[in-house]
Amino acid sequence: ATPPPPATLAQAIAAGKAKLSLRLRVESVDEDPFAKDASAVTLRTRLAWQSADFRGFALNLEADDIHALDEDSYNSTANGVTTRPVIGDPVGTEINVAALTWKNKSLAVTAGRQRLMLDNQRFIGNVGWRQNEQTYDGVTLKFKPIARLELTAGGLWNVNRVFGPRTGAQLADWHGSVKLVNAKIDAGKIGSLSLFGYAMDFDNAAAVSNATWGAALNGSPELSGGWKLTYALSFASQSDAGDNPTDYTAGYRQLEVGLAKGPYSLRVGQEVLEGDATLANHRFQTPLATLHIFQGWADKFLTTPPQGVEDTYVAAAATVRGTALKLEWHDFRAEAVSRSYGSEWNASIGRTFAKRYEVLAKFADYQADGFATDTTKWWLMFTAAF
């Protein structure tokens, strides 16, 4: 039988649930022209607690601690090691989430430090791959006025970046104003349509302040024989905002099609972030995205090149006897001029067992052809959740 809701605040606190997760990762980077490779063995310990609902209110708390076996063996961006490649996992302890949520059947309002992951995280994400997660200080609401429509809106005043908790070569926090609105429409057999607008004005990072408006359509209609046609279509327009010193406009587009059957899938697509042939900083930017899942795992395009980027890719995935396999290939070119950047292979294998443990191995190999330098990365990761 379902237990009765807490009658008092004390009962709601007493009925709260605690969770513990451990994520141990080995990451290695061989990047030209560094004479020394980077090697990081890091452990993230996350302790989370959530109260039971009390009159629609719930409190969510989460603390992260990141330790490194030898922080001098890689450039964490905060340790001053510049003779080795960057692995963006600084050590430190901080409050990752501290948020109060009130909700009823159609509305949820959250205030405080929170994680945000909108749509496919191309514009607003939590950068969950890094050991120190990106979270946001602000107020957000989710409203579902009818069955097939969900609205998300919010105002944020601080971005807790993955490079914290202490500032080094990269800022640990971006202060300012972020206003967001996202309307997600369930279009039935057609798929899911999102309409969005994000306005960012940062006091201490004016160069990435922007206003972006766009739409995304995703679907996977059924075909015969158990097959599905998968597709993703997205467009966006961006301009400078706030105190950005550059007056610019730039566009974004993605087109992807694929086939899937059971645990097997194949996708082919192209993602384009526009740039300019002659003017610096006239480029489409996604400063709050979960960038690692786009444009190759070697992370060579975390910042859009001045002449933009066209990423043409093929990705295959399969799950065989509980083991998840992925293989991707990317070809990178400039958008504004006829110029090759390079190509990249990605591969991963992962498995979850006993419901609470996960092992993952990943590999990325970027071969430069006019942009950045040859880079090879590999990861081994073990996660336990209790």
Side-chain angles (χ1 to χ4, degrees):
T2 302
T8 65
L9 178 60
Q11 289 179 357
I13 294 173
K17 295 183 179 180
K19 295 182 179 180
L20 172 68
S21 68
L22 306 171
R23 187 162 79 173
L24 177 65
R25 183 160 67 204
V26 180
E27 180 170 349
S28 177
V29 180
D30 179 1
E31 180 179 354
D32 291 343
F34 289 95
K36 298 179 179 179
D37 294 351
S39 179
V41 181
T42 56
L43 173 66
R44 185 188 72 190
T45 303
R46 172 172 291 173
L47 181 62
W49 178 84
Q50 183 171 352
S51 72
D53 288 348
F54 176 66
R55 297 180 181 176
F57 289 92
L59 179 63
N60 188 14
L61 302 174
E62 196 172 275
D64 283 353
D65 175 77
I66 294 92
H67 265 69
L69 183 64
D70 180 9
E71 198 184 4
D72 293 332
S73 62
Y74 68 102
N75 180 359
S76 73
T77 74
N79 60 0
V81 177
T82 58
T83 57
R84 297 178 186 265
V86 170
I87 297 177
D89 288 328
V91 300
T93 304
E94 70 172 352
I95 300 300
N96 194 50
V97 173
L100 180 66
T101 298
W102 176 86
K103 64 181 179 180
N104 59 22
K105 292 182 178 180
S106 60
L107 177 65
V109 181
T110 300
R113 182 163 297 182
Q114 54 194 282
R115 60 171 52 85
L116 289 174
M117 295 174 285
L118 297 182
D119 297 326
N120 64 350
Q121 303 186 55
R122 193 60 182 100
F123 301 98
I124 305 290
N126 69 328
V127 197
W129 173 247
R130 297 265 50 105
Q131 296 285 54
N132 184 20
E133 187 178 15
Q134 177 170 280
T135 56
Y136 304 86
D137 299 341
V139 179
T140 61
L141 65 86
K142 289 187 177 183
F143 180 47
K144 197 167 185 177
I146 57 178
R148 293 194 171 188
L149 174 62
E150 182 177 84
L151 303 175
T152 301
L156 314 172
W157 54 80
N158 189 67
V159 181
N160 307 284
R161 305 178 71 214
V162 300
F163 304 105
R166 67 182 191 274
T167 290
Q170 291 280 349
L171 292 173
D173 298 86
W174 280 344
H175 311 293
S177 172
V178 177
K179 297 179 176 63
L180 60 92
V181 60
N182 182 293
K184 191 169 185 177
I185 303 166
D186 181 357
K189 294 182 179 180
I190 296 175
S192 175
L193 174 65
S194 292
L195 306 174
F196 53 84
Y198 309 122
M200 310 173 191
D201 182 9
F202 296 110
D203 301 333
N204 58 344
V208 298
S209 297
N210 70 81
T212 303
W213 300 89
L217 178 66
N218 299 271
S220 56
E222 297 278 354
L223 302 176
S224 61
W227 289 91
K228 291 183 179 181
L229 172 67
T230 64
Y231 59 86
L233 179 65
S234 183
F235 296 94
S237 177
Q238 184 178 95
S239 60
D240 59 286
D243 293 328
N244 193 322
T246 304
D247 181 8
Y248 78 97
T249 59
Y252 168 89
R253 60 187 180 272
Q254 181 197 28
L255 175 61
E256 177 187 292
V257 294
L259 290 172
K261 184 176 182 179
Y264 306 99
S265 65
L266 177 67
R267 299 177 291 117
V268 180
Q270 185 180 72
E271 186 184 45
V272 179
L273 285 75
E274 291 182 352
D276 193 281
T278 58
L279 299 174
N281 300 322
H282 287 241
R283 55 194 174 186
F284 196 97
Q285 306 182 76
T286 57
L288 300 185
T290 298
L291 294 167
H292 182 73
I293 57 180
F294 300 94
Q295 299 180 343
W297 300 340
D299 291 336
K300 305 306 291 186
F301 297 92
L302 298 181
T303 300
T304 306
Q307 296 172 339
V309 58
E310 291 183 354
D311 173 19
T312 304
Y313 58 89
V314 180
T319 301
V320 181
R321 296 183 178 180
T323 300
L325 307 170
K326 292 182 180 180
L327 182 65
E328 297 182 1
W329 175 80
H330 297 260
D331 177 71
F332 301 106
R333 297 180 179 273
E335 181 276 331
V337 297
S338 178
R339 174 190 172 191
S340 174
Y341 285 156
S343 61
E344 180 174 332
W345 282 98
N346 298 153
S348 74
I349 179 171
R351 185 178 181 88
T352 300
F353 56 97
K355 296 183 179 180
R356 65 176 74 249
Y357 305 106
E358 180 183 0
V359 291
L360 176 69
K362 289 178 61 170
F363 174 80
D365 182 58
Y366 175 78
Q367 294 297 311
D369 184 18
F371 179 81
T373 59
D374 293 349
T375 301
T376 300
K377 297 185 178 184
W378 61 263
W379 302 264
L380 292 174
M381 190 167 74
F382 172 77
T383 304
F386 304 92

